Structure formats: structure tokens, C-alpha cells
Amino acid sequence: MEHGSGFSFMKYGTAASLAMVLLAYWFRSPGESGLDNRLDTVLSSLLRAESKVGMNNARPRVAIGLGGCVDVIVDGVTLLNKIGLPPTGQPLHHDYIETADQLAQSFAYFFAPGAASERFVINDTLFSQLVEASRELPDNRWAIGGNAPVMAGRMATEGCDVLLGGSFSPDFADILSQHITVAGNVVEEPDIHLILEYPSGATWGQYTARRANRYIVHSDDHNPYLASLQDFEVKLQDFHPDLLVVGGLQMMDSFPFQQGEREALLSRLGSLLSSSSPRTGVHFEMASFVDEGLMGDLLRLVLPHADSLGMNEQELPNLLSLLRGSNITVLSDPNPRVATVLDQMRALYRLVNQRYRDANEDSDMGAYATSAKGRPLTRLHVHTLAFQAMIVTCGSQWKNTMSAVAKASLTANRHVCGSPDIDPSKARLIMDESFSVSSKEGSQRIPLEETRPVSCWDEEDYEICVAPVLVCTEVYQTAGGGDNISAAGLVLQI
């Protein structure tokens, strides 16, 4: 978690990244290919695009909920070896983890393709064993975790004043940025989430990871109940945010609630979102969901009140499948083509807005009327390993889309490499040199121009922007990547 005022920090990071580009140019050996020149040009062009939009003197006010935890970050393969868990011969998906064999099967299922996943461990003894083994690993790291705290940290660093709904121990609350105000109870023993990281090419038995990612396990019994919601709701009344962000609801996934408990909690959250000012943007950050009952409740009670959605390449087809009336898609292509993602984004944008129109079809009101049932979707951000893509409704409150996509792209490298300074010698481009705007036959192809790497164009009632990611080749941490990327993209649009 970054500390203190982040705006000057990020300005320094941008200047240092430009210096890195110049140093890489002057000290490059003559035998290196023109690909390095191309990457340097893309980096300097993305930095210029990011810096085109500055923050106003007034710090934007952002309210973010809900929840928080302590992340214990370890090498996943090392941890499994530590507890003596051998590689399974049968990779399988499990909605939750009850036994060590299920852990091995679930880890192998996501490890080989390099897909992010998060699972609830229902077996307290097994989870305690994992935590104790993690403590004994020499390279373990501890950090404030949870979608809301991670996004709050990024937004404070980027120049926002943040109201954070979450419960933290005194020690961890003390290291939050001075620009973050906590709304929630103090807890003596925060919930621990284990982050099993692995680099690209890592091996576990017969399995080899296609890309760097993480497998997360937890046995959280506080955050599923949205424990900080009441205090967050009270303090929100006087905070008057420019943006309200909700994330962390995957803590409810496969949790053994009593009958009606989950629906009551989500109904209360939905009421909070629906009561927010129409001038306040509402963003919902997706996550790894496998519980179809929970997803149904979210589609009915929470998502209709958000006008902005953020997600990765796994969560996009999952949500789209449910909206189309199909089942959960547990595992999707971890390296999708641009055309595939854009087609899925268009379909999601249309389906969500059709649901909004259907809900209001008997009402004679404008799209932004305060008496409307929910909100239309006006912003959709998808972050993948290779690129960032965004759809923004023309004329909506979301501004600076091109610069926001560039910032999201740069933040992906900054977070995963663990440095605000982007070193081009530790990055590579994996996005194609040109991409089709759709999978439909005869669709336009757009080349990746090094001097203008962010491509934007209008369709129907929205604008689409796509930017390549400078993929970090020396991974420090993948966990929290999506939260940092989404938060950074939002900052320039409020």
C-alpha cells in the first residue's frame, strides 16, 4: 500500500520512466533489434497520453467499499511443496475447497492456463495449516488486502481523498495513506487471505504455467457479512463523493449463509447505491464468482445501480454468459484476442442497457432521470494481460477516455513490476501488431502505431479505446493488479 500524497509521487514516476527510456536508448548494444526501439517509442507515447490530463487543484472525493483483510503473499508452488501436497493427476474445478486433494485439483486447474482464481476454504484446519506453512517461508510478504483497500490506496496515491468502508487492525490502519478515512470497526485479528503467486513458466509436477498469475484462498468469516456497511453508510451521507466504488463481494461466493441472509445484505447495499446522487458515478468491480445464486442476486440487486463496470478477461465472459441465460463459465481463454474481447464488451453493453430499458419501459422518463429504476451502463473497462479496452457512452459524465486507458495500461506494468518507474528492459509487447475491431468477417483492422498506441473510434452511441500493455517480464506481484488498473483508469474520468 502506497503512503502519503500520491500525486507528486506519480509525477516523479512519470519523469523517471522517461529517463529510463533515454537510458535504455543510449546504452543499448548495437546488435539489439528494432523491437526495443519500438517498445521505447510505445512507452514514451503512452506516458505523453497519460500526462495530457492533469488533476484539478481540488482532490476528487471517492468512496470505496467494502471489506479488507491481510494478504499473505507467497510462491504458490513452494507453499504446496512445503505442506507436502503432491501434484494431482486430475485437474478439477471446485466451487469451494474442503480437502487437500481438492486444493491440489483446483490449483492445477487454474495453474496450467495461468488463470486467476479465488476460492473459499471451508476446512478451518486445512486453512490454518496453509497459514502456518506460509509464515515459515522465508520470502513471504504481508500487505493490506481486499479489493476496496487496494483500490483506495491507488486512488489516494493518484490524488484523491478516499472514504474506505472496511475493518482493519490498528497496526494496518496506521499505514494507510493520510488521504484515506476509514469507515468501519477496528478488529484485533483481521482475516488472512493467502495469495499463491507463480511466474510464467513455473512448473508443478507435469504442469507449466502459461503466464504469471495467482491462486487465492481464504476462510474469511467477517467480510461476507459486509461488516463495515452500516458505518460506511453513515459516513457517506456527509462525504458527498464524486465517485462511489463497490468491490469485494466475491467474499460471499460459496459462503454458508443462513437462508435469506445474503439477499438481505445485498438488498441493503442496493438501497445504498440507489440512494446516491445522480451526479455521483457508481462503479462495480467484478471478481472471480462461481456461485450462480450469488451472481443472480448481484444481477438483480446490485449491478442495476452501477453505471460503470470493471473486470478482467475471465470475468467478462462469465458475466456475459449469465446475462444470456447460460451457466457460469469457470475458465476462459487467459490470452484472448482483441476482437473477441471487443465483441463480448459490445454484447455486454447492449444486454445490460436493454435490461435497464426493460425495467423502465412503462415509465416516460429520460435515461438519467432520478426516478428511473437503476442506471444505464455508460462505462465498461476490461483489463487483460496484453491490452486495456474501454467503452464509454458519448455525452456521459466519464471524460478523458484516451488518457484513462493509457494510464490503466501503464499502471499494469507499474504494479506488477512493483515500481512507479517503467523500465523498458523489463517489459515486452504481446499485443498483435494490428487487430480487428470485431471477429465478424470483413471487419476493419487497426495497426498498432508506436507514436499513437491508444486507438479510439466511435460506434453507435459510444466510444471505444484500446491500448497495449507493456507486460512486465520480472514479476513482483500479480495480486491486486486488476484493482490498481481499474482505480487508475477511473481517476482521470471523474
Side-chain angles (χ1 to χ4, degrees):
M1 188 69 66
E2 296 87 354
H3 306 283
S5 176
F7 184 42
S8 59
F9 173 77
M10 288 311 299
K11 285 200 296 185
Y12 169 77
T14 299
S17 294
L18 286 170
M20 287 284 190
V21 173
L22 294 174
L23 285 171
Y25 176 81
W26 286 112
F27 289 99
R28 178 174 293 122
S29 63
E32 289 184 320
S33 72
L35 291 175
D36 293 323
N37 286 324
R38 181 169 182 259
L39 191 145
D40 292 345
T41 304
V42 170
L43 173 55
S44 58
S45 299
L46 286 171
L47 290 168
R48 283 196 301 271
E50 176 190 38
S51 63
K52 280 186 177 180
V53 179
M55 301 285 284
N56 296 325
N57 291 330
R59 298 174 66 93
R61 299 174 68 80
V62 182
I64 307 178
L66 292 154
C69 63
V70 172
D71 281 346
V72 180
I73 305 161
V74 297
D75 180 83
V77 173
T78 302
L79 175 61
L80 297 186
N81 290 338
K82 172 77 174 176
I83 66 171
L85 188 62
T88 179
Q90 190 178 21
L92 285 176
H93 156 67
H94 295 283
D95 287 350
Y96 55 86
I97 305 301
E98 190 170 8
T99 67
D101 286 343
Q102 289 180 345
L103 174 62
Q105 292 168 348
S106 180
F107 181 81
Y109 186 82
F110 294 100
F111 174 80
S117 183
E118 184 168 358
R119 291 294 178 268
F120 177 69
V121 179
I122 203 168
N123 183 330
D124 291 339
T125 302
L126 173 60
F127 188 75
S128 295
Q129 180 188 4
L130 291 168
V131 172
E132 289 308 311
S134 297
R135 293 178 192 272
E136 296 172 5
L137 294 179
D139 295 327
N140 74 66
R141 290 184 287 113
W142 295 62
I144 291 180
N147 301 82
V150 172
M151 294 186 78
R154 172 57 60 180
M155 287 188 147
T157 293
E158 300 289 353
C160 299
D161 286 330
V162 180
L163 175 67
L164 170 60
S167 299
F168 305 95
S169 65
D171 290 344
F172 275 84
D174 287 345
I175 66 173
L176 291 170
S177 164
Q178 63 179 331
H179 295 291
I180 297 177
T181 301
V182 174
N185 299 324
V186 174
V187 295
E188 295 303 319
E189 292 292 334
D191 285 287
I192 291 177
H193 293 194
L194 293 180
I195 317 296
L196 281 64
E197 293 264 354
Y198 51 85
S200 176
T203 59
W204 187 52
Q206 68 269 42
Y207 307 106
T208 300
R210 287 170 51 190
R211 56 168 281 192
N213 224 317
R214 70 278 185 189
Y215 180 87
I216 303 174
V217 289
H218 69 90
S219 188
D220 196 324
D221 58 3
H222 291 106
N223 288 306
Y225 289 103
L226 309 184
S228 58
L229 179 58
Q230 182 175 355
D231 198 19
F232 184 63
E233 190 172 8
V234 170
K235 292 187 178 178
L236 194 59
Q237 295 175 5
D238 296 324
F239 187 71
H240 305 298
D242 302 297
L243 175 67
L244 174 58
V245 179
V246 173
L249 300 188
Q250 75 274 15
M251 292 297 97
M252 294 179 153
D253 202 85
S254 301
F255 186 81
F257 288 105
Q258 296 296 316
Q259 181 70 28
E261 274 187 320
R262 184 181 67 202
E263 183 177 5
L265 289 166
L266 291 176
S267 293
R268 183 173 176 184
L269 175 59
S271 296
L272 170 65
L273 299 180
S274 66
S275 65
S276 61
S277 166
R279 295 185 298 275
T280 299
V282 177
H283 175 83
F284 179 73
E285 190 66 21
M286 282 287 293
S288 177
F289 293 103
V290 295
D291 185 335
E292 292 194 6
L294 171 59
M295 283 296 293
D297 287 346
L298 291 174
L299 288 176
R300 182 168 53 91
L301 300 171
V302 177
L303 264 69
H305 304 295
D307 43 20
S308 172
L309 297 176
M311 62 199 72
N312 67 21
E313 77 288 338
Q314 297 290 314
E315 297 149 8
L316 171 62
N318 191 13
L319 179 56
L320 184 57
S321 177
L322 284 172
L323 284 169
R324 286 172 166 167
S326 299
N327 297 325
I328 290 276
T329 57
V330 176
L331 182 63
S332 300
D333 184 355
N335 294 292
R337 307 299 289 268
V338 176
T340 301
V341 170
L342 292 181
D343 284 343
Q344 291 173 336
M345 291 176 69
R346 293 182 185 99
L348 180 62
Y349 179 86
R350 290 166 185 154
L351 282 170
V352 172
N353 281 314
Q354 185 59 54
R355 286 166 64 95
Y356 168 78
R357 288 189 292 271
D358 290 345
N360 291 281
E361 63 181 359
D362 296 329
S363 304
D364 183 18
M365 58 183 68
Y368 295 96
T370 56
S371 56
K373 297 178 181 178
R375 298 180 179 216
L377 178 63
T378 53
R379 181 183 182 276
L380 175 58
H381 179 192
V382 175
H383 38 87
T384 79
L385 178 67
F387 60 90
Q388 305 290 317
M390 196 177 291
I391 286 179
V392 173
T393 304
C394 297
S396 66
Q397 68 192 59
W398 311 105
K399 55 190 180 182
N400 307 320
T401 305
M402 187 272 289
S403 292
V405 174
K407 188 175 194 65
S409 172
L410 293 166
T411 301
N413 180 285
R414 289 167 178 151
H415 174 77
V416 175
C417 276
S419 172
D421 312 329
I422 298 177
D423 184 348
S425 71
K426 299 177 182 179
R428 64 190 177 106
L429 290 169
I430 63 174
M431 182 174 159
D432 294 335
E433 293 190 7
S434 67
F435 63 88
S436 293
V437 299
S438 172
S439 299
K440 294 179 181 177
E441 187 176 351
S443 295
Q444 176 190 2
R445 291 195 69 85
I446 295 180
L448 172 56
E449 298 182 25
E450 291 89 339
T451 57
R452 301 188 66 180
V454 183
S455 301
C456 298
W457 65 95
D458 290 337
E459 294 183 10
E460 299 182 10
D461 67 336
Y462 52 81
E463 179 185 31
I464 296 179
C465 285
V466 177
V469 171
L470 300 166
V471 180
C472 177
T473 57
E474 296 188 13
V475 175
Y476 173 73
Q477 179 177 321
T478 66
D483 296 324
N484 276 273
I485 293 165
S486 278
L490 282 163
V491 163
L492 295 185
Q493 295 199 273
I494 54 178

